């Protein structure tokens, strides 16, 4: 478990400047200068494995190609840079302590490992996931793993555009037909949140087929909240009539062009007699394949800076701001500023519209 000092580095003398305050021309220039493969954020907790996947036998994971070996000793999760049978006595890097081990926390059913300066690791930097039980323990049918052959930031940029689901995932979540749509975007230095409200939207096919919804339309409120450093998102949807969708979508950058997604979809709120409880988590495999089909060919096109002007619609505000926030955070870290300006562990239930039972 956690074996680090609870330090919070002092902030730099220069005050933080919100990158969204730049003039429109400068903002557009930053949006079009997006090279996600060049971004490598440090001093962050990454959920490297579901808790059930870590046993006494070591398993290997990676963050930006940095190796992590995970296993349990006396039931407690540990992580090291080297396999326990191969670690040299003095095995240590800038990412590990004197024993060659990483800071570790087990929470929300995941093994979280710190990528960055181990002296800066602290529990308050674990993102808030209000609809996952802190002690874990959700059944295996709510968990799964998929992979994307694309850079993690590109996968998250696709995810935060909630409107894409109406076209790419229409056979699962419903098409674009509705009476009214409102999109709001909120951000701070560590997170970005998109809230989409739809009036009389076409019912999601999976809810109609397996969720017992008989109406032709639903009132929908969808939220995507991304924790920038951890490359992790929470997706929360309220459907009336219908059931809430509670998804944790962490995009761990195993390499700069390959992403691992160990997802959790908590359908405990759905009646045990409702097939939606068991089938909705499995829909992630189909949705992820559809996403990968679109993002994998795009990923190589963003590997090098080039003169281009990406096309955007008025609904792309969240994606554009996500790009600028990620670049601003990377620029801060390049200057040696790894402080957290905002509290990522603060309960975000009100922001996403989640009402705790």
């Amino acid at each position: 478990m956690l074996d680090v000092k609870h330090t919070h580095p002092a902030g730099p003398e220069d005050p933080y400047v919100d990158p969204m305050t730049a003039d429109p021309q400068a903002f557009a220039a930053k949006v079009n200068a997006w090279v996600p493969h060049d971004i490598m954020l440090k001093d962050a907790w990454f959920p490297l494995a579901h808790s059930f996947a870590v046993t006494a036998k070591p398993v290997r994971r990676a963050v930006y190609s940095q190796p992590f070996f995970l296993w349990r000793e006396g039931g407690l999760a540990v992580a090291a840079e080297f396999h326990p049978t191969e670690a040299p006595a003095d095995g240590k890097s800038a990412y590990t302590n004197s024993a060659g081990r990483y800071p570790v926390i087990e929470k929300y059913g995941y093994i979280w490992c710190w990528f960055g300066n181990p002296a800066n690791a602290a529990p308050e930097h674990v993102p808030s996931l209000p609809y996952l039980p802190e002690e874990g323990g959700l059944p295996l049918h709510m968990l799964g793993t998929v992979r994307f052959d694309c850079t993690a930031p590109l996968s998250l940029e696709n995810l935060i555009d909630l409107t894409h689901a109406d076209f790419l995932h229409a056979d699962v979540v419903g098409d674009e037909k509705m009476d009214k749509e409102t999109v709001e975007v909120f951000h701070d230095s560590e997170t970005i949140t998109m809230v989409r409200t739809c009036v009389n939207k076409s019912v999601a096919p999976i809810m109609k087929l397996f969720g017992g919804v008989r109406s032709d339309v639903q009132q929908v409120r969808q939220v995507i909240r991304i924790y920038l450093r951890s490359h992790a998102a929470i997706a929360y949807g309220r459907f009336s009539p219908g059931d809430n969708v509670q998804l944790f979508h962490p995009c761990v950058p195993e390499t700069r062009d390959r992403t691992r997604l160990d997802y959790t979809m908590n359908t405990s709120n759905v009646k045990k007699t409702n097939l939606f409880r068991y089938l909705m988590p499995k829909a992630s495999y189909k949705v992820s394949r559809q996403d990968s089909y679109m993002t994998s060919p795009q990923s190589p096109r963003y590997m090098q800076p080039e003169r281009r002007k990406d096309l955007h619609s008025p609904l792309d505000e969240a994606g554009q701001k996500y790009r600028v926030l990620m670049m601003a955070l990377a620029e801060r870290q390049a200057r040696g500023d790894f402080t957290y300006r905002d509290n990522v562990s603060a309960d975000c239930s009100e922001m996403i519209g989640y009402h705790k039972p």
Side-chain angles (χ1 to χ4, degrees), residues 314-346:
L315 297 176
D316 288 332
E317 178 187 357
Q320 290 177 309
K321 288 185 173 180
Y322 170 73
R323 290 185 176 192
V324 173
L325 286 168
M326 288 288 283
M327 287 188 284
L329 188 50
E331 289 166 3
R332 275 209 291 128
Q333 293 199 352
R335 297 194 302 269
D337 178 8
F338 294 90
T339 58
Y340 277 73
R341 305 281 183 154
D342 292 282
N343 182 9
V344 297
S345 66

Side-chain angles (χ1 to χ4, degrees), residues 75-90:
L76 297 180
V78 296
E81 187 173 8
F82 302 96
H83 191 281
T85 62
E86 300 174 351
D90 59 348

Side-chain angles (χ1 to χ4, degrees), residues 46-47 148 152-153 155-156 159 230-233 249-253 259-261:
F46 284 93
F148 300 112
S155 181
L156 287 164
L159 182 67
S230 296
H231 292 67
H249 192 287
C251 292
V252 174
T259 301
R260 181 186 180 96
L261 168 59

Side-chain angles (χ1 to χ4, degrees), residues 8-161:
H8 199 135
E13 295 180 1
D14 58 309
Y16 174 72
V17 177
D18 189 338
M20 302 308 166
T21 60
D23 65 81
Q25 188 172 0
F27 181 86
K30 278 189 170 293
V31 169
N32 289 310
W34 177 236
V35 184
H37 300 75
D38 285 350
I39 293 177
M40 187 174 76
L41 301 179
K42 299 179 182 179
D43 279 18
W45 292 105
F46 284 93
L48 295 192
H50 291 114
S51 290
F52 79 87
V54 178
T55 64
K57 182 179 180 180
V59 295
R60 189 184 188 280
R61 297 290 188 267
V63 178
Y64 297 119
S65 299
Q66 175 72 15
F68 287 72
F69 288 93
L70 314 177
W71 70 95
R72 293 186 185 273
E73 293 181 352
L76 297 180
V78 296
E81 187 173 8
F82 302 96
H83 191 281
T85 62
E86 300 174 351
D90 59 348
K92 181 185 183 300
S93 72
Y95 302 112
T96 57
N97 63 17
S98 58
R101 293 192 173 185
Y102 300 97
V104 174
I105 285 179
E106 185 164 6
K107 190 174 183 180
Y108 299 125
Y110 286 86
I111 307 301
W112 299 75
C113 296
W114 182 260
F115 178 74
N117 183 347
N120 295 339
E124 60 263 30
H125 300 327
V126 176
S128 168
L129 310 178
Y131 46 71
L132 295 188
E134 291 193 13
E135 68 281 4
L138 290 175
L140 294 184
H141 72 262
M142 298 182 187
L143 317 177
T145 300
V146 295
R147 294 173 178 82
F148 300 112
D149 291 320
C150 74
T151 187
L154 191 62
S155 181
L156 287 164
E157 182 189 1
N158 169 70
L159 182 67
I160 201 170
D161 172 21

Side-chain angles (χ1 to χ4, degrees), residues 206-280:
I206 194 169
M207 288 190 178
K208 201 157 194 173
L209 290 172
F210 306 108
V213 177
R214 298 290 176 256
S215 173
D216 291 327
V217 296
Q218 293 173 305
Q219 312 313 311
V220 179
R221 186 180 188 273
Q222 298 169 304
V223 182
I224 294 288
R225 179 175 175 84
I226 295 178
Y227 295 97
L228 303 176
R229 296 200 201 202
S230 296
H231 292 67
I234 53 177
Y236 183 66
R238 292 207 315 253
F239 297 82
S240 181
D243 294 293
N244 297 345
V245 174
Q246 306 175 151
L247 171 67
F248 178 47
H249 192 287
C251 292
V252 174
E254 290 190 316
T255 68
R256 296 195 180 194
D257 58 2
R258 186 166 173 81
T259 301
R260 181 186 180 96
L261 168 59
D262 289 315
Y263 70 84
T264 297
M265 183 171 290
N266 185 0
T267 54
S268 300
N269 58 299
V270 182
K271 294 180 180 179
K272 291 184 178 181
T273 56
N274 193 331
L275 285 177
F276 182 80
R277 177 187 179 101
Y278 306 96
L279 295 178
M280 187 60 190

